[in-house]
Amino acid sequence: MGVIGRKEAFLRVLSTVFLVLTVCLVAFDAQTKLLFYSVVRKATFRDLNALFDLVWIDSAAAVCNLLQLFRGYILPGSKEDLTSNYRYLAWGFCLLDQAAAYIVFAANSAAAQASMLAVTGESSFQWMKVCNRFTRFCIQIVGALLCAYCASIFMAVISSISAYNLFRFYSPKKFLLLKGK
């Protein structure tokens, strides 16, 4: 398959599917309620900044995974050629995978924490519980966050595969020196 292995490609496709599913579940989730007999309130992902950021970060991570999938068609040669001739690109791919995994996990954790405030409320700030009134909206957000954490796990595994593919060409005895052929 060229530069990218089958298992890594499968994990990238799987994480991209979960990221896109998360984005769709969060971005298209909305619920309208009639409050106090005359006030209409609509709950969307734009009401919570962490959910808004989650949509954009997960979208960017999905695009990043797709670009990484297609690097096998863009860069000629095998993994050995990539590491010996394009060593700096291999470092860039590894660091990009690491950064994407960490940023997606951080965005998911921030969205989960902000969503917990919507579930429990905060009496000292006089924030009411949102999920008492918008239950379908909250249930769909929980499903989206579960998909997002599955994508985070897949991206962590991809990141470790990427690190392994980079560092297996270096000598274990001398720090960061390439192995001889």
Side-chain angles (χ1 to χ4, degrees):
M1 183 165 188
V3 175
I4 192 166
R6 290 179 194 247
K7 291 177 184 175
E8 184 182 355
F10 176 72
L11 286 171
R12 284 193 189 279
V13 168
L14 208 55
S15 69
T16 302
V17 166
F18 275 105
L19 287 168
V20 168
L21 187 61
T22 299
V23 168
C24 289
L25 283 173
V26 173
F28 297 127
D29 188 14
Q31 186 177 2
T32 305
K33 281 279 191 170
L34 180 66
L35 305 174
F36 306 117
Y37 301 111
S38 63
V39 177
V40 175
R41 177 73 175 116
K42 184 175 184 179
T44 65
F45 75 99
R46 295 179 192 273
D47 295 335
L48 199 57
N49 287 339
L51 292 177
F52 185 76
D53 294 341
L54 177 73
V55 167
W56 286 105
I57 289 171
D58 282 1
S59 299
V63 169
C64 178
N65 273 332
L66 286 177
L67 289 175
Q68 289 275 37
L69 269 175
F70 292 123
R71 80 170 186 238
Y73 299 108
I74 296 170
L75 294 175
S78 63
K79 287 182 185 176
E80 289 81 12
D81 292 338
L82 176 69
T83 304
S84 62
N85 296 333
Y86 301 106
R87 185 175 43 168
Y88 298 112
L89 280 178
W91 273 98
F93 294 147
C94 180
L95 293 176
L96 184 66
D97 285 338
Q98 292 277 325
Y102 286 129
I103 289 171
V104 166
F105 181 75
N108 295 337
S109 298
Q113 182 180 9
S115 297
M116 280 306 295
L117 278 176
V119 171
T120 60
E122 184 60 45
S123 60
S124 62
F125 292 125
Q126 298 179 355
W127 291 346
M128 66 178 202
K129 297 177 184 178
V130 176
C131 288
N132 287 348
R133 299 183 197 239
F134 300 103
T135 55
R136 186 187 54 78
F137 176 79
C138 291
I139 289 170
Q140 192 164 335
I141 293 297
V142 167
L145 288 175
L146 288 175
C147 290
Y149 276 113
C150 288
S152 294
I153 291 169
F154 292 135
M155 290 181 72
V157 173
I158 290 168
S159 177
S160 64
I161 290 171
S162 180
Y164 172 76
N165 287 337
L166 174 65
F167 288 116
R168 73 183 174 137
F169 294 106
Y170 285 94
S171 172
K173 295 184 175 67
K174 297 187 180 183
F175 185 69
L176 293 182
L177 288 178
L178 288 174
K179 288 182 182 177
K181 291 187 179 190

